[in-house]
């Protein structure tokens, strides 16, 4: 199953409420058949700009990273569910597939032959 | 009346004798129905006078001369024909044909020998090529097999890795514990590195 990363910006709340929100989110995911790999906390920080959501203007928020494996079909419904959650300020799901092993990026460019015409500036 | 042919006239060619100039009869200024000229009306054409004695002698000499010439000509013609005949059907002709036949046989034999030699060389070369092809094919198959094996191994590695990682996954049982853990350890991914790749400074969480 492909691997996704959910960047969750939660409202700046007290600890038990944050715990409850996170628990809710993870349980929803597991209900829909996802396998949660890990959860990281990026701290409670000032948002880069003021975000208005669900009638509240947020200045600070808790950033959380949740990576999981799931089917791609459940994602729209899941995002919709998250948007309706009052405590969630901004949910973002990104793909986290590892790139193929033999990618040719950062390969040294082949040397041009000396007879090549000089590039026009 | 007689004029030298200035432009080519193919018809008169067989009328003129060999070696002489081609002359053609031309009527000159007057056409057929014009009257004779006044100064020529009473003209009587008289044949040129001949001396009978002289004529007899001349005739005699001419007959002899012509006989000799004719004889010479016939002699020469006969010589030529004989030579031609001998060339085609003579004693030397047989030798020549034999000689030519021998040459032909020798050349054919040489040709056959060359063909044989080249054929052998070619066979060797073709065989070598076939062997090379077979070898290359085997090599290619070998490489493909190796690639396949490598891919399989990589996949196996991945699976094993995943099996290891499964132990770190979050389940309903360790959900609370993991949430507490996460909230206690905030991670910060903002840092700067220098050219050697070492982390130089971290920003504080605002």
């Amino acid at each position: 199953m492909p691997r996704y990363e959910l960047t969750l910006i939660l409202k700046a709340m007290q600890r038990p409420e944050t715990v409850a929100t996170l628990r809710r989110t993870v349980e929803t995911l597991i209900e829909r058949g996802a396998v949660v790999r890990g959860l990281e906390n990026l701290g409670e920080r000032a948002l880069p700009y003021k975000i208005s959501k669900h009638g509240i203007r947020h200045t600070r928020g808790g950033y959380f990273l949740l990576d999981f494996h799931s089917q791609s079909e459940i994602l729209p419904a899941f995002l919709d569910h998250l948007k309706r959650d009052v405590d969630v300020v901004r949910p973002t799901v990104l793909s986290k597939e590892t790139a193929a092993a033999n990618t040719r990026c950062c390969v040294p460019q082949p040397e041009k032959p000396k007879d090549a015409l000089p590039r026009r500036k | 009346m007689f004029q030298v042919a200035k432009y080519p006239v193919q018809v008169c060619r067989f009328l003129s004798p060999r070696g002489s100039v081609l002359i053609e009869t031309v009527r000159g200024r007057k056409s057929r129905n014009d009257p004779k000229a006044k100064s020529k009306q009473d003209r009587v054409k008289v044949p040129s006078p001949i001396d009978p004695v002289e004529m007899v002698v001349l005739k005699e000499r001419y007959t002899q001369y012509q006989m000799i010439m004719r004889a010479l000509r016939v002699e020469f013609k006969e010589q030529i024909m004989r030579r031609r005949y001998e060339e085609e059907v003579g004693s030397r002709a047989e030798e020549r044909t034999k000689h030519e036949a021998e040459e032909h046989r020798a050349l054919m034999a040489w040709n056959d020998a060359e063909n044989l030699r080249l054929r052998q060389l070619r066979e060797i070369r073709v065989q070598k090529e076939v062997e090379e092809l077979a070898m290359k094919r085997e090599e290619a198959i070998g490489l493909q097999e190796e690639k396949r094996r490598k891919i399989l191994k990589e996949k196996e590695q991945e699976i094993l890795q995943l099996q290891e990682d499964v132990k770190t996954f979050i389940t309903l049982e360790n959900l609370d514990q993991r949430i507490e853990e996460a909230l206690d350890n905030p991670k910060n991914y903002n840092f700067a590195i220098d050219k050697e790749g070492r982390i130089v400074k971290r920003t504080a969480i605002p």
Side-chain angles (χ1 to χ4, degrees), chain A residues 15 23 36-37 40-41, chain B residues 165 169 176 180 187 189:
Chain A
R15 195 166 161 126
R23 200 194 160 87
V36 181
R37 236 179 133 103
E40 282 159 29
N41 175 19
Chain B
D165 289 338
F169 286 174
D176 288 317
E180 298 292 325
K187 269 187 112 176
Y189 285 114

Side-chain angles (χ1 to χ4, degrees), chain B:
Chain B
M1 200 162 83
F2 295 104
Q3 271 197 11
V4 173
K6 290 188 191 142
Y7 49 88
V9 177
Q10 310 297 353
V11 182
C12 300
R13 208 170 275 282
F14 62 86
L15 288 175
S16 71
R18 264 183 68 171
S20 69
V21 188
L22 193 67
I23 44 172
E24 19 170 53
T25 37
V26 169
R27 210 127 210 298
R29 236 171 65 94
K30 290 188 166 185
S31 74
R32 204 172 202 207
N33 309 315
D34 291 336
K36 248 178 162 175
K38 275 187 270 193
S39 59
K40 300 281 187 293
Q41 272 191 0
D42 300 323
R43 184 164 175 261
V44 169
K45 279 197 269 193
V46 167
S48 53
I50 51 170
D51 190 8
V53 178
E54 190 196 4
M55 186 48 65
V56 164
V57 169
L58 264 182
K59 274 213 154 91
E60 182 77 42
R61 288 190 193 169
Y62 263 127
T63 43
Q64 284 183 4
Y65 169 74
Q66 278 167 2
M67 193 167 57
I68 293 168
M69 290 300 282
R70 223 174 277 152
L72 277 175
R73 277 194 207 108
V74 163
E75 279 280 339
F76 294 153
K77 273 195 196 137
E78 202 196 331
Q79 259 188 21
I80 290 172
M81 277 175 44
R82 180 160 304 209
R83 252 184 247 161
R84 206 183 300 160
Y85 177 75
E86 273 198 15
E87 258 200 47
E88 285 174 15
V89 187
S91 54
R92 284 218 310 231
E94 278 186 27
E95 289 174 23
R96 204 148 21 97
T97 41
K98 237 193 285 176
H99 183 65
E100 275 179 12
E102 283 283 331
E103 251 191 75
H104 180 79
R105 232 179 293 140
L107 286 171
M108 289 300 282
W110 181 86
N111 194 19
D112 284 333
E114 271 293 309
N115 280 354
L116 198 66
R117 177 179 78 91
L118 287 174
R119 181 184 165 181
Q120 282 164 353
L121 284 173
R122 185 178 52 236
E123 276 183 359
I124 293 171
R125 183 170 29 102
V126 162
Q127 211 182 7
K128 254 192 229 162
E129 275 177 16
V130 161
E131 281 174 11
E132 254 176 61
L133 249 175
M135 232 169 58
K136 267 198 200 140
R137 210 174 287 163
E138 279 180 25
E139 266 185 43
I141 291 174
L143 276 169
Q144 270 188 356
E145 280 290 321
E146 262 198 51
K147 224 196 276 185
R148 229 174 283 154
R149 250 179 275 146
K150 210 171 79 171
I151 290 175
L152 261 174
K153 225 185 276 182
E154 273 176 22
K155 294 283 187 222
E156 278 182 25
Q157 282 290 321
E158 273 179 33
I159 291 176
L160 286 170
Q161 183 71 28
L162 205 58
Q163 281 182 344
E164 293 288 318
D165 289 338
V166 164
K167 294 165 195 158
T168 54
F169 286 174
I170 300 180
T171 56
L172 286 162
E173 289 87 22
N174 51 16
L175 179 57
D176 288 317
Q177 181 209 350
R178 289 298 280 272
I179 292 178
E180 298 292 325
E181 243 184 75
L183 282 171
D184 290 328
N185 316 334
K187 269 187 112 176
N188 186 11
Y189 285 114
N190 293 342
F191 51 82
I193 53 175
D194 62 1
K195 283 189 205 169
E196 268 79 57
R198 293 174 296 204
I199 297 175
V200 166
K201 64 172 175 176
R202 289 184 182 276
T203 49
I205 305 175

